[in-house]
Every structure is written in structure tokens, then in C-alpha cells.
Amino acid sequence: MGDMMPLIDEAYAWAVVQDARHGLVARAETAGLTIIGDGTWQCRCDARLTEAGAAQLAALLPVAGAGSPHVVAQIGQSLDGRIATASGHSHYVTGEASRVHLHRLRALVDAVVVGVGTVEFDDPQLTVRHVTGAHPRRVVLDPRGRVARDRTLFSGAGPETFHLVGPEAPGAPGAHRVPVPVEAGGRFAPAAVLAVLAERGMARVLVEGGGLTISSFLAAGCLDRVHCVVAPMLIGSGRPALALPEIATLHDAWRPACRDHPLGADRLYDLDLRAPGRA
Ligand SMILES: NC(=O)c1ccc[n+]([C@@H]2O[C@H](COP(=O)([O-])OP(=O)(O)OC[C@H]3O[C@@H](n4cnc5c(N)ncnc54)[C@H](OP(=O)(O)O)[C@@H]3O)[C@@H](O)[C@H]2O)c1
């Protein structure tokens, strides 16, 4: 009987994760897996679960199985907490397995959010071209409407782009202009960003970068999880991954619930910000 069960390798596990996103369990059950709902699973003793399959389930089921709304951030950083050089060069901090992981995260959400700095430096596509799955819609935070109009996200090709701008700022052609109130300091309240996205059917959100954007969502308490991917690299200077308001002592440091998993030569730290933290 055991040899009749499908092998749960990385590709099979990814299919199970995609099913879980839509509440489907038949493929998991065929392979002897019971998904419990909070991102964990039980395995029949004759299930053929490979190490790569187990790693895939562990890393992505908590995102796929989360209810909606759900907001996850992903940051790819060096050992010394940098995401790019001072000049903005960031290709690539993390390795191939981490890029595949990022594309899988994109495939699990309705929308991927980036700051205008990332659009300027990286000219990203924000698609899922390295994996199977649906492209998310793309969202650019640009309170001053300063983005260069020749960026790929505004070319009119690919998934829809939403250009979130201050009430007085111009939108870029090739995208939906969405005005959002600007707070003191020239920033959007992250909760206001999530509200305009939810109104448009985008309640599962990946905040992908850069550091300033993720930090603003983290400081506002608007993230459910953070996938912090650490590459064994030292940059030594440059753009920080996270920058939060100063604290005086380590008693005030944040120690969220955390599980870690290998991602090629990198390591994924999966922070669950809604679970009780560590002492
Ligand atoms: N390794 C990685 O995982 C990764 C991922 C993405 C990007 N990157 C790299 O990161 C660098 C860019 O990151 P960054 O931190 O400098 O910039 P960023 O977060 O991409 O963009 C910052 C800008 O976006 C706008 N913005 C962000 N949050 C906002 C909010 N809550 N409300 C309103 N506006 C908001 C602001 O525009 P205004 O300045 O106009 O106010 C802000 O200055 C690039 O070098 C890129 O290559 C690395």
C-alpha cells in the first residue's frame, strides 16, 4: 500500500500548499497528509515525505493556510542586516532557492506591495515566473508620484499595477491611480494602504520591500508574519533591512515566535508576529 502513495517531493508539496490556499485538501490526503489548519500537518506512517517536501510544507503552509486578511513581509538580507549597497545594488543578496521561495510567496497572495525606492532601483516585474501559480496584482507606494514613467510595472503588460499616491500627486499611465491620505512626515498609514487594497479585493498581501516600506508596516503593527531570509554574506555598509524606532535597552527588543528552515545556502527565519513571543 505504502508504495502506492505519491512521493511528497518539493513539487508535490508546492501543489499541496497551493491547494491549501484555496481550502482544498484532496491532494494532501491522497499522499497521507492531514493539514491541521494553523500551518502544521500530520503524516500517516506510510506517507512518502521527502526532506525537501517537508521543508516546503513547513515554510509555506502557515501563509497558505492563514485566514484572510493576512499580511506577510519578505526581506532578503545579509548576515549584517543589509538589503543592498549604499548605491542601491541588490542583485542578488540571496540565492536561487530563496528567489524561488519569494516567487512562491507571491503566488500565495492577492497583491505584492513595494516602495517607490525598489521600483526605481530594481525595476522589478513582481511576477511568479520562476514557479507555477497565479501572478499577484502589483502595488507601488509613491506618496509624491515621483516614480519614473518608463518602469516595467507601468508598461501596461503583465498583471494590473496599482499606483498609490498622495491626494495631490499624479498617477503614472499604465496603472490604476489610487489616492491615499498622507500623514505627517509624508507617509501613508500602513493600515490605510491595507484598507484601500482590501476594498479592491486584495486582502492577502505580501510586502516585499524595500527596508523602509517593510519597516513602516512592522512599526505600525500591520504585519502578521515576516519571512526574513538571511544570506551568508557580509555587505558591511549600505541600505538596512529594518529600521525601527530606537529602544534604550534589550528588555524592549522584540522576540517574536520564530521557526527557521534551510533555503539552499540561505536560512529562512519565519517570524509569527501574532503568536506569543519568546521570553
Ligand atoms: N533584498 C531584498 O529583499 C530587497 C527587496 C526589495 C528591495 N531591495 C533593495 O532595497 C532598496 C530600496 O529599499 P528602500 O528601503 O531604500 O526603499 P523602498 O522601501 O523600496 O521605498 C521607500 C520609499 O517608498 C515610499 N514609501 C514606503 N513606505 C511608505 C509608506 N508607508 N507611506 C508612504 N510612502 C512609503 C516612500 O517614498 P518617498 O520617498 O517618495 O516618500 C519611501 O521613501 C533598493 O536598493 C532595492 O534594490 C532589496
PDB file of all heavy atoms in Angstrom, residues 35-41 57-66 225 259:
ATOM      1  N   ILE A  35      -3.854  18.252   6.882  1.00  0.00           N
ATOM      2  CA  ILE A  35      -3.464  19.632   7.206  1.00  0.00           C
ATOM      3  C   ILE A  35      -4.346  20.111   8.341  1.00  0.00           C
ATOM      4  O   ILE A  35      -5.578  20.021   8.277  1.00  0.00           O
ATOM      5  CB  ILE A  35      -3.580  20.518   5.956  1.00  0.00           C
ATOM      6  CG1 ILE A  35      -2.556  20.015   4.946  1.00  0.00           C
ATOM      7  CG2 ILE A  35      -3.334  21.978   6.305  1.00  0.00           C
ATOM      8  CD1 ILE A  35      -2.629  20.646   3.614  1.00  0.00           C
ATOM      9  N   ILE A  36      -3.711  20.606   9.404  1.00  0.00           N
ATOM     10  CA  ILE A  36      -4.457  20.892  10.621  1.00  0.00           C
ATOM     11  C   ILE A  36      -5.061  22.294  10.587  1.00  0.00           C
ATOM     12  O   ILE A  36      -6.100  22.534  11.179  1.00  0.00           O
ATOM     13  CB  ILE A  36      -3.548  20.668  11.854  1.00  0.00           C
ATOM     14  CG1 ILE A  36      -3.219  19.171  11.909  1.00  0.00           C
ATOM     15  CG2 ILE A  36      -4.225  21.106  13.143  1.00  0.00           C
ATOM     16  CD1 ILE A  36      -2.113  18.807  12.836  1.00  0.00           C
ATOM     17  N   GLY A  37      -4.460  23.202   9.846  1.00  0.00           N
ATOM     18  CA  GLY A  37      -5.125  24.493   9.689  1.00  0.00           C
ATOM     19  C   GLY A  37      -4.303  25.663  10.174  1.00  0.00           C
ATOM     20  O   GLY A  37      -4.462  26.768   9.693  1.00  0.00           O
ATOM     21  N   ASP A  38      -3.413  25.437  11.121  1.00  0.00           N
ATOM     22  CA  ASP A  38      -2.585  26.544  11.591  1.00  0.00           C
ATOM     23  C   ASP A  38      -1.179  26.453  10.998  1.00  0.00           C
ATOM     24  O   ASP A  38      -0.229  26.970  11.556  1.00  0.00           O
ATOM     25  CB  ASP A  38      -2.514  26.545  13.119  1.00  0.00           C
ATOM     26  CG  ASP A  38      -1.883  25.252  13.646  1.00  0.00           C
ATOM     27  OD1 ASP A  38      -1.654  24.338  12.830  1.00  0.00           O
ATOM     28  OD2 ASP A  38      -1.622  25.179  14.847  1.00  0.00           O
ATOM     29  N   GLY A  39      -1.090  25.761   9.867  1.00  0.00           N
ATOM     30  CA  GLY A  39       0.211  25.653   9.214  1.00  0.00           C
ATOM     31  C   GLY A  39       0.954  24.386   9.591  1.00  0.00           C
ATOM     32  O   GLY A  39       2.073  24.167   9.146  1.00  0.00           O
ATOM     33  N   THR A  40       0.357  23.552  10.400  1.00  0.00           N
ATOM     34  CA  THR A  40       1.011  22.282  10.721  1.00  0.00           C
ATOM     35  C   THR A  40       0.230  21.144  10.067  1.00  0.00           C
ATOM     36  O   THR A  40      -0.895  21.336   9.592  1.00  0.00           O
ATOM     37  CB  THR A  40       1.097  22.059  12.242  1.00  0.00           C
ATOM     38  OG1 THR A  40      -0.204  22.190  12.777  1.00  0.00           O
ATOM     39  CG2 THR A  40       2.030  23.040  12.893  1.00  0.00           C
ATOM     40  N   TRP A  41       0.840  19.971  10.038  1.00  0.00           N
ATOM     41  CA  TRP A  41       0.189  18.830   9.404  1.00  0.00           C
ATOM     42  C   TRP A  41       0.582  17.563  10.139  1.00  0.00           C
ATOM     43  O   TRP A  41       1.575  17.539  10.872  1.00  0.00           O
ATOM     44  CB  TRP A  41       0.583  18.736   7.929  1.00  0.00           C
ATOM     45  CG  TRP A  41       1.999  18.289   7.740  1.00  0.00           C
ATOM     46  CD1 TRP A  41       2.458  17.016   7.594  1.00  0.00           C
ATOM     47  CD2 TRP A  41       3.155  19.118   7.708  1.00  0.00           C
ATOM     48  NE1 TRP A  41       3.817  17.002   7.475  1.00  0.00           N
ATOM     49  CE2 TRP A  41       4.286  18.274   7.546  1.00  0.00           C
ATOM     50  CE3 TRP A  41       3.361  20.486   7.801  1.00  0.00           C
ATOM     51  CZ2 TRP A  41       5.578  18.758   7.470  1.00  0.00           C
ATOM     52  CZ3 TRP A  41       4.651  20.970   7.740  1.00  0.00           C
ATOM     53  CH2 TRP A  41       5.746  20.118   7.563  1.00  0.00           C
ATOM     54  N   LEU A  57       6.551  22.399   3.002  1.00  0.00           N
ATOM     55  CA  LEU A  57       5.310  22.498   3.777  1.00  0.00           C
ATOM     56  C   LEU A  57       5.526  23.389   5.001  1.00  0.00           C
ATOM     57  O   LEU A  57       4.696  24.253   5.325  1.00  0.00           O
ATOM     58  CB  LEU A  57       4.855  21.110   4.234  1.00  0.00           C
ATOM     59  CG  LEU A  57       4.472  20.124   3.133  1.00  0.00           C
ATOM     60  CD1 LEU A  57       4.207  18.742   3.740  1.00  0.00           C
ATOM     61  CD2 LEU A  57       3.239  20.594   2.363  1.00  0.00           C
ATOM     62  N   ALA A  58       6.664  23.190   5.691  1.00  0.00           N
ATOM     63  CA  ALA A  58       6.921  23.945   6.919  1.00  0.00           C
ATOM     64  C   ALA A  58       7.035  25.438   6.635  1.00  0.00           C
ATOM     65  O   ALA A  58       6.554  26.280   7.407  1.00  0.00           O
ATOM     66  CB  ALA A  58       8.199  23.434   7.574  1.00  0.00           C
ATOM     67  N   ALA A  59       7.662  25.780   5.508  1.00  0.00           N
ATOM     68  CA  ALA A  59       7.902  27.189   5.214  1.00  0.00           C
ATOM     69  C   ALA A  59       6.653  27.904   4.705  1.00  0.00           C
ATOM     70  O   ALA A  59       6.463  29.095   4.988  1.00  0.00           O
ATOM     71  CB  ALA A  59       9.023  27.309   4.177  1.00  0.00           C
ATOM     72  N   LEU A  60       5.795  27.195   3.964  1.00  0.00           N
ATOM     73  CA  LEU A  60       4.731  27.911   3.252  1.00  0.00           C
ATOM     74  C   LEU A  60       3.307  27.619   3.718  1.00  0.00           C
ATOM     75  O   LEU A  60       2.403  28.436   3.468  1.00  0.00           O
ATOM     76  CB  LEU A  60       4.849  27.649   1.747  1.00  0.00           C
ATOM     77  CG  LEU A  60       6.053  28.352   1.104  1.00  0.00           C
ATOM     78  CD1 LEU A  60       6.225  27.900  -0.338  1.00  0.00           C
ATOM     79  CD2 LEU A  60       5.907  29.868   1.146  1.00  0.00           C
ATOM     80  N   LEU A  61       3.085  26.477   4.388  1.00  0.00           N
ATOM     81  CA  LEU A  61       1.702  26.204   4.828  1.00  0.00           C
ATOM     82  C   LEU A  61       1.152  27.262   5.784  1.00  0.00           C
ATOM     83  O   LEU A  61      -0.036  27.598   5.720  1.00  0.00           O
ATOM     84  CB  LEU A  61       1.604  24.820   5.474  1.00  0.00           C
ATOM     85  CG  LEU A  61       1.227  23.661   4.557  1.00  0.00           C
ATOM     86  CD1 LEU A  61       1.120  22.384   5.379  1.00  0.00           C
ATOM     87  CD2 LEU A  61      -0.069  23.916   3.793  1.00  0.00           C
ATOM     88  N   PRO A  62       1.987  27.826   6.696  1.00  0.00           N
ATOM     89  CA  PRO A  62       1.431  28.853   7.580  1.00  0.00           C
ATOM     90  C   PRO A  62       0.892  30.066   6.816  1.00  0.00           C
ATOM     91  O   PRO A  62      -0.065  30.707   7.260  1.00  0.00           O
ATOM     92  CB  PRO A  62       2.622  29.242   8.469  1.00  0.00           C
ATOM     93  CG  PRO A  62       3.498  28.025   8.476  1.00  0.00           C
ATOM     94  CD  PRO A  62       3.368  27.460   7.081  1.00  0.00           C
ATOM     95  N   VAL A  63       1.496  30.378   5.675  1.00  0.00           N
ATOM     96  CA  VAL A  63       0.990  31.501   4.863  1.00  0.00           C
ATOM     97  C   VAL A  63      -0.240  31.054   4.081  1.00  0.00           C
ATOM     98  O   VAL A  63      -1.280  31.726   4.082  1.00  0.00           O
ATOM     99  CB  VAL A  63       2.084  32.007   3.896  1.00  0.00           C
ATOM    100  CG1 VAL A  63       1.530  33.083   2.975  1.00  0.00           C
ATOM    101  CG2 VAL A  63       3.286  32.532   4.675  1.00  0.00           C
ATOM    102  N   ALA A  64      -0.129  29.890   3.431  1.00  0.00           N
ATOM    103  CA  ALA A  64      -1.237  29.422   2.588  1.00  0.00           C
ATOM    104  C   ALA A  64      -2.491  29.142   3.412  1.00  0.00           C
ATOM    105  O   ALA A  64      -3.609  29.393   2.962  1.00  0.00           O
ATOM    106  CB  ALA A  64      -0.821  28.155   1.850  1.00  0.00           C
ATOM    107  N   GLY A  65      -2.293  28.624   4.627  1.00  0.00           N
ATOM    108  CA  GLY A  65      -3.438  28.210   5.435  1.00  0.00           C
ATOM    109  C   GLY A  65      -3.998  29.308   6.317  1.00  0.00           C
ATOM    110  O   GLY A  65      -5.005  29.101   7.000  1.00  0.00           O
ATOM    111  N   ALA A  66      -3.351  30.471   6.309  1.00  0.00           N
ATOM    112  CA  ALA A  66      -3.837  31.559   7.165  1.00  0.00           C
ATOM    113  C   ALA A  66      -5.168  32.067   6.627  1.00  0.00           C
ATOM    114  O   ALA A  66      -5.427  32.028   5.432  1.00  0.00           O
ATOM    115  CB  ALA A  66      -2.816  32.692   7.183  1.00  0.00           C
ATOM    116  N   ARG A 225       3.189  38.134   9.625  1.00  0.00           N
ATOM    117  CA  ARG A 225       4.411  37.311   9.609  1.00  0.00           C
ATOM    118  C   ARG A 225       5.508  38.083   8.901  1.00  0.00           C
ATOM    119  O   ARG A 225       5.226  38.928   8.040  1.00  0.00           O
ATOM    120  CB  ARG A 225       4.255  36.018   8.779  1.00  0.00           C
ATOM    121  CG  ARG A 225       3.153  35.124   9.107  1.00  0.00           C
ATOM    122  CD  ARG A 225       3.310  33.780   8.376  1.00  0.00           C
ATOM    123  NE  ARG A 225       4.127  32.880   9.149  1.00  0.00           N
ATOM    124  CZ  ARG A 225       3.661  32.185  10.183  1.00  0.00           C
ATOM    125  NH1 ARG A 225       2.413  32.256  10.540  1.00  0.00           N
ATOM    126  NH2 ARG A 225       4.474  31.399  10.863  1.00  0.00           N
ATOM    127  N   ARG A 259      10.464  30.232  13.700  1.00  0.00           N
ATOM    128  CA  ARG A 259      10.956  28.918  13.269  1.00  0.00           C
ATOM    129  C   ARG A 259      11.909  29.169  12.114  1.00  0.00           C
ATOM    130  O   ARG A 259      11.719  30.118  11.354  1.00  0.00           O
ATOM    131  CB  ARG A 259       9.785  28.035  12.818  1.00  0.00           C
ATOM    132  CG  ARG A 259       8.805  27.755  13.964  1.00  0.00           C
ATOM    133  CD  ARG A 259       7.522  27.158  13.442  1.00  0.00           C
ATOM    134  NE  ARG A 259       7.730  25.793  12.986  1.00  0.00           N
ATOM    135  CZ  ARG A 259       6.881  25.148  12.198  1.00  0.00           C
ATOM    136  NH1 ARG A 259       5.791  25.738  11.755  1.00  0.00           N
ATOM    137  NH2 ARG A 259       7.120  23.913  11.819  1.00  0.00           N
TER     138      ARG A 259
END
